[in-house]
Amino acid sequence: MEQFVEFMGNFGPLGLAIHSFLDAIIFPIPAFFTQVSLSMLNPNNAIWLATLGFFACLLGTPIGYLIGKVFGTGILTRFVKPELTNKATNYFKEKGSIAILIGAFTPIPFKVFTILSGVMKYPLWQLMAYAAIGRATKFYVVGVLFYLFDRAAATMVDSVSLYIFITVVPVIVIFLLVRKWLRKRKERKALALQQGNEQEAEM
């Protein structure tokens, strides 16, 4: 992994863009490592690097989705560890939106979620929306830390990312659950009203 990160770092921002793009499709090493490595070399460019990595990741997301939609589970079983695939699949079966959002923050390779979204025919626009939220947070936290604290940010990145995960993610998850509950409540009311109208019409 260190050799690969060093290799990509030789290409500078272009290396990060390529790594981020592949990270959303099929590559097993997160682009986080290349971003940190390049940000340490030039902290003044950290925000630009975060922006580049973020958009490259978004460009790769629909391709990972298409791979999952066309080729199915065979891709996952070949390139991703079974325990990671099973974990992500269980998330998806329970709550797709929350699974993608959490996946954007966790160490689980994000390609698992892009490919799974295609396999399970999850709406692409929702995948892009939740990927944008999670990946933007992850990339820009690193970028802002290096921009503000220079190379000292290298010791802060992991702990700050953890704090964001245990604070921001639960808030968003609660919001999604409440929205889903309100939507179901509205549907039940509409159904009850429809049934009431049908009974009145029969009378």
Side-chain angles (χ1 to χ4, degrees):
M1 184 183 72
E2 291 178 358
Q3 291 177 347
F4 175 80
V5 171
E6 184 178 352
F7 174 75
M8 298 305 292
N10 291 333
F11 295 94
L14 177 61
L16 174 60
I18 294 172
H19 192 174
S20 299
F21 181 78
L22 295 176
D23 184 24
I25 302 173
I26 208 166
F27 206 72
I29 301 174
F32 165 84
F33 297 105
T34 300
Q35 182 190 6
V36 170
S37 177
L38 290 175
S39 297
M40 287 182 66
L41 291 176
N42 194 346
N44 289 331
N45 284 342
I47 302 295
W48 159 242
L49 290 170
T51 303
L52 192 63
F54 168 65
F55 281 106
C57 179
L58 286 188
L59 287 176
T61 297
I63 298 178
Y65 177 90
L66 183 62
I67 289 174
K69 190 172 183 178
V70 174
F71 298 103
T73 56
I75 296 294
L76 286 175
T77 56
R78 183 174 180 181
F79 292 101
V80 182
K81 293 180 180 180
E83 57 268 24
L84 293 179
T85 302
N86 293 336
K87 192 173 184 179
T89 302
N90 290 333
Y91 276 143
F92 247 94
K93 287 180 179 178
E94 295 177 6
K95 298 175 178 68
S97 302
I98 296 174
I100 294 172
L101 186 60
I102 292 176
F105 285 90
T106 62
I108 298 175
F110 192 60
K111 63 182 177 295
V112 176
F113 294 91
T114 60
I115 295 174
L116 265 177
S117 296
V119 171
M120 299 186 176
K121 307 299 187 293
Y122 189 81
L124 178 59
W125 72 268
Q126 289 189 27
L127 169 65
M128 295 296 294
Y130 292 121
I133 294 172
R135 303 312 274 182
T137 303
K138 199 165 186 179
F139 275 106
Y140 280 105
V141 162
V142 175
V144 170
L145 284 175
F146 274 99
Y147 185 79
L148 294 178
F149 300 102
D150 209 85
R151 292 174 176 83
T155 60
M156 307 177 187
V157 170
D158 289 336
S159 57
V160 171
S161 298
L162 176 62
Y163 292 143
I164 289 176
F165 179 75
I166 63 178
T167 55
V168 176
V169 171
V171 171
I172 298 176
V173 168
I174 290 172
F175 166 76
L176 292 174
L177 290 175
V178 170
R179 189 184 67 172
K180 185 176 181 180
W181 177 78
L182 290 174
R183 186 180 299 167
K184 286 186 175 181
R185 183 182 178 185
K186 185 177 180 181
E187 290 174 355
R188 287 195 298 268
K189 286 185 176 180
L191 180 61
L193 181 61
Q194 181 181 356
Q195 291 175 346
N197 291 335
E198 290 176 354
Q199 290 177 355
E200 290 179 2
E202 291 176 358
M203 295 175 62

